[in-house]
Every structure is written in C-alpha cells, then in structure tokens.
C-alpha cells in the first residue's frame, strides 16, 4: 500500500493511481453485506463488481476496477434533484416544504417533523419525493426532460432511465407511496401524487457508472461547473445548501459516524454507489453493491475511510487553504 502521512502527502499522479489500485485489491476480498433486494430488479446485480474513481477539479481522472459498469443512481440522485428544485423555487420556498435536519432514522422511515409536518431533509425518501414534486415543468414529460438534462450537465453526456428498474420500483414501492400520501395529507405535496412518485422512481433509475459519479462529485467540488466540459450544472449559490445536507444527512443513520470519521459530504445509494465531495479539490466515487444494514456500500465506506485518512481529507483536518491534495493538481495523469 502506498503510504502517505496525514497532511503531508507526497503523491504524484502515477503513484496516486497505484494507491487506488492497492485500495481496490485490498478491499476486493471483502464479502460482507448483501445486495439490495427490496426492489426486485436490483437483486440481479453481480455482487463482485467494484470500482473506485477520483476526478480532480482540474479535470484529471483516476479510475480502477469496473468503472464503466452501469448501475442505477438510486438515492444519489436526491442530491442533484435538490439542486434543481432549489434553482426552480428558491431556498426560502424549498425550506417551507423540506427541512434540513438529520433524522437518525432509516432512509425509508415513514415519518415527518412533528411540528411543521415537513419531511426532515431531502436525502431521506420522504424529503426526496417532496423535493422532486417541486421540480418545474408543464407536464410529466417536460419535468422528466428537465431532470435528464440536469444530469447531462453534471455528467457531460446524455443519460437514460433503466425501464426495468423503474417499473420494478414503481410496482413495489408502497412505502414510498404511503409517504407521498401522508405528505399530500399535510399539504407538502400538491401535484398529482402518482406523477410525483413516477418522477422520483425515474430519477432513481437513471443509469450511471462510477466515472460518471466521480465527475458529478467533482462538479459539486468545482462550484457547480463540470471540470471536464466546463458547463455550469447548477447555480453556484446553492452549492453550500447541497453540500450541507449531504454532510449532515447523506449517509442516513450513519451520517454522524461518517462525518466524524471521513469528514466530507457524501451520498450513498442502494445500488451500491457512494460519492463524496472534497470542496475545491476533487470528487470521489466508489461502486460495490454489497450493502450494510443501513443501505451503504460496505467496501465503499471502507475505501472512503481509508482515502480520507491517507489524504487527510477530513474537512476539519486539512490546512486552512485546503491544499492537502494540491500537489497532484495541475499535473497530467
Ligand atoms: O426509494 C427507494 O427506496 C430507492 N429508489 C432509493 C433508495 C436508496 O438508494 C437509499 N439509499 N441508500
């Protein structure tokens, strides 16, 4: 394993790729966890798939393993849908419909804030459904197209919805349906409930690979501008809103321990992806479908813990100018 001392990283690009390869072979043998099966189509995934990608804000790509393997984005989509809803409705209005408090509950808990009746935050399912229902468009097709175009800006190429996963979740997603009805009852969703759910299920079934996720993460790290295409994916004024809820809520009922140990905003999904954002430096993505009891990728958590420790990425550990990774910036692969 390539060694690096915290805060004193002497890494060159070729060594960094070697470091990622070492991490990949170290954790490839980990077989703990289980693939998600509550959406029947997700249970068909090969549990051995495993990839790690890093994209820096100056556009360098580092990729190891099955980084071109496509999978559905699932809950990781919630981050980007939140950005689009903020752009469409503004911060003040969104806050009247979706809170920013971590719950300590599972991602699919059927629970709203006692006082306000808002879902707790946009990273749990209830909050994500409410957020998605606020995306503008003159009908279901326009809303879906605006959502897909938003993903295109972050990734740098067109994306598509996996129809099998979408219909699999649509026909089994009764917990989400229950939450949507509860929120409709309290006036937190005001459009057609089934249409809001369909758009939510469709956004979760958008296909990405590990490299795409790392580019999306790097776009958030780069103040909303895709570092490969130079296209603005989201208004930079909302980056702090997005990263704040990722930091406090992105890993569900593991969010506190993640913030303590890894210390960078991140989001996981039940397909096995985790992406993490190191502001002004890089995006990290890991894909491995074996999940722990909270729905986070087992290898993904381990890889991010080790990357954070070795590169001294914890937000409260880096030097004030966040320069701990700057020695690979500006160099070629
Ligand atoms: O709503 C659901 O249950 C899925 N479409 C997404 C859940 C998810 O990815 C939770 N993540 N860990």
């Amino acid at each position: 394993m390539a060694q690096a001392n915290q805060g004193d990283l002497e890494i060159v690009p070729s060594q960094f790729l070697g470091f990622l390869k070492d991490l990949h072979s170290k954790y490839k043998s980990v077989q703990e966890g289980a693939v998600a099966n509550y959406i029947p189509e997700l249970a068909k995934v090969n549990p051995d798939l495993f990839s790690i990608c890093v994209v820096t804000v100056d556009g360098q790509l580092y990729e190891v393993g099955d980084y071109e393997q496509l999978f559905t984005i699932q809950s990781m989509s919630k981050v980007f849908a939140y950005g689009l809803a903020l752009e469409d409705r503004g911060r003040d209005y969104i806050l009247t419909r979706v809170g920013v408090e971590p719950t300590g509950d599972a991602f699919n808990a059927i629970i709203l804030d006692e006082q306000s009746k808002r879902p707790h935050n946009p990273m749990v399912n209830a909050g994500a459904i409410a957020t998605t229902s606020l995306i503008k468009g003159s009908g279901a097709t326009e809303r879906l197209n605006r959502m897909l175009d938003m993903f295109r800006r972050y990734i740098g190429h067109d994306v598509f919805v996996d129809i099998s996963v979408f219909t699999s979740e649509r026909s089994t997603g009764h917990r989400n349906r229950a939450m949507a009805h509860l929120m409709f009852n309290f006036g937190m969703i005001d459009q057609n409930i089934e249409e809001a759910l369909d758009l939510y299920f469709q956004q979760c079934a958008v296909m990405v690979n590990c490299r795409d996720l790392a580019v999306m993460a790097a776009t958030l790290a780069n103040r909303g501008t895709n570092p490969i295409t130079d296209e603005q994916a989201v208004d930079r004024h909302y980056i702090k809103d997005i990263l704040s809820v990722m930091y406090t809520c992105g890993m569900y009922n593991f969010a506190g321990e993640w913030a303590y140990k890894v210390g960078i905003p991140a989001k996981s999904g039940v397909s096995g992806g985790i992406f993490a954002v190191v502001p002004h430096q890089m995006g990290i993505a890991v894909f491995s479908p074996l999940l722990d009891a909270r729905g986070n990728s087992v290898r993904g958590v381990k890889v991010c813990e080790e990357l954070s420790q070795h590169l001294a990425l914890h937000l409260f550990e880096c030097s004030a100018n966040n320069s701990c990774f700057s020695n690979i910036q500006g160099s070629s692969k």
Side-chain angles (χ1 to χ4, degrees):
M1 175 69 63
Q3 289 298 317
N5 297 322
Q6 290 178 4
D8 183 24
L9 198 63
E10 290 301 331
I11 260 178
V12 294
S14 58
Q15 285 175 349
F16 185 60
L17 190 60
F19 174 69
L20 293 185
K21 284 181 180 164
D22 287 348
L23 270 184
H24 188 269
S25 36
K26 177 174 174 183
Y27 290 112
K28 200 170 169 47
S29 55
V30 172
Q31 296 295 330
E32 293 155 37
V35 304
N37 59 11
Y38 74 99
I39 301 173
E41 206 60 21
L42 292 185
K44 297 179 181 170
V45 70
N46 173 359
D48 295 329
L49 292 168
F50 184 26
S51 47
I52 308 171
C53 294
V54 171
V55 175
T56 61
V57 293
D58 64 352
Q60 297 171 61
L61 260 69
Y62 300 88
E63 36 201 26
V64 181
D66 307 299
Y67 54 84
E68 290 192 322
Q69 173 67 46
L70 290 170
F71 52 92
T72 52
I73 190 168
Q74 295 300 334
S75 277
M76 294 174 285
S77 65
K78 295 168 179 172
V79 169
F80 308 99
Y82 186 53
L84 186 57
L86 284 165
E87 287 182 316
D88 279 359
R89 307 279 180 173
R91 182 177 295 129
D92 292 343
Y93 185 73
I94 293 291
L95 277 172
T96 66
R97 296 296 186 99
V98 187
V100 289
E101 290 300 331
T103 63
D105 293 314
F107 64 86
N108 58 1
I110 305 179
I111 182 170
L112 300 177
D113 181 81
E114 290 259 326
Q115 297 294 319
S116 66
K117 308 300 182 199
R118 292 176 307 179
H120 285 85
N121 66 68
M123 302 291 108
V124 290
N125 287 6
I129 294 164
T131 301
T132 295
S133 78
L134 295 169
I135 287 168
K136 284 188 176 170
S138 63
T141 308
E142 188 176 319
R143 275 190 272 277
L144 174 62
N145 285 338
R146 290 193 66 243
M147 174 85 79
L148 294 177
D149 196 53
M150 175 272 293
F151 282 120
R152 181 198 58 73
R153 292 194 299 275
Y154 276 99
I155 296 175
H157 61 76
D158 286 337
V159 295
F160 60 93
V161 171
D162 182 311
I163 298 299
S164 311
V165 175
F166 164 56
T167 51
S168 182
E169 183 165 10
R170 184 201 228 177
S171 57
T172 56
H174 302 302
R175 280 190 82 91
N176 285 333
R177 202 159 274 116
M179 282 172 221
H181 280 269
L182 189 63
M183 291 190 289
F184 182 73
N185 177 63
F186 289 116
M188 292 297 145
I189 290 187
D190 46 23
Q191 71 178 62
N192 181 303
I193 299 174
E194 284 304 320
E195 194 186 304
L197 283 164
D198 272 0
L199 187 56
Y200 170 72
F201 295 144
Q202 283 161 335
Q203 79 176 51
C204 289
V206 163
M207 297 294 273
V208 291
N209 63 30
C210 193
R211 177 200 287 148
D212 294 335
L213 271 186
V215 174
M216 295 169 95
T219 299
L220 291 173
N222 193 34
R223 301 183 180 93
T225 298
N226 181 317
I228 312 287
T229 64
D230 222 26
E231 187 173 10
Q232 190 76 33
V234 62
D235 184 333
R236 67 173 55 192
H237 295 105
Y238 295 120
I239 294 291
K240 69 183 172 71
D241 307 64
I242 296 169
L243 295 184
S244 298
V245 293
M246 282 175 70
Y247 193 68
T248 53
C249 315
M251 300 298 285
Y252 307 116
N253 38 343
F254 186 61
E257 199 172 327
W258 175 276
Y260 184 81
K261 280 189 178 163
V262 183
I264 44 179
K267 185 78 198 78
S268 62
V270 289
S271 47
I274 297 179
F275 74 89
V277 177
V278 188
H280 316 301
Q281 296 185 67
M282 68 181 120
I284 298 167
V286 187
F287 170 58
S288 168
L290 291 168
L291 307 181
D292 62 22
R294 286 133 160 171
N296 296 321
S297 167
V298 175
R299 291 177 188 157
V301 169
K302 289 182 192 294
V303 166
C304 289
E305 281 178 358
E306 188 151 339
L307 258 175
S308 174
Q309 198 187 351
H310 277 259
L311 300 181
L313 297 179
H314 196 296
L315 289 183
F316 307 129
E317 188 173 54
C318 283
S319 59
N321 62 4
N322 275 340
S323 63
C324 55
F325 199 62
S326 59
N327 43 6
I328 70 158
Q329 306 233 356
S331 318
S332 57
K333 192 168 173 178

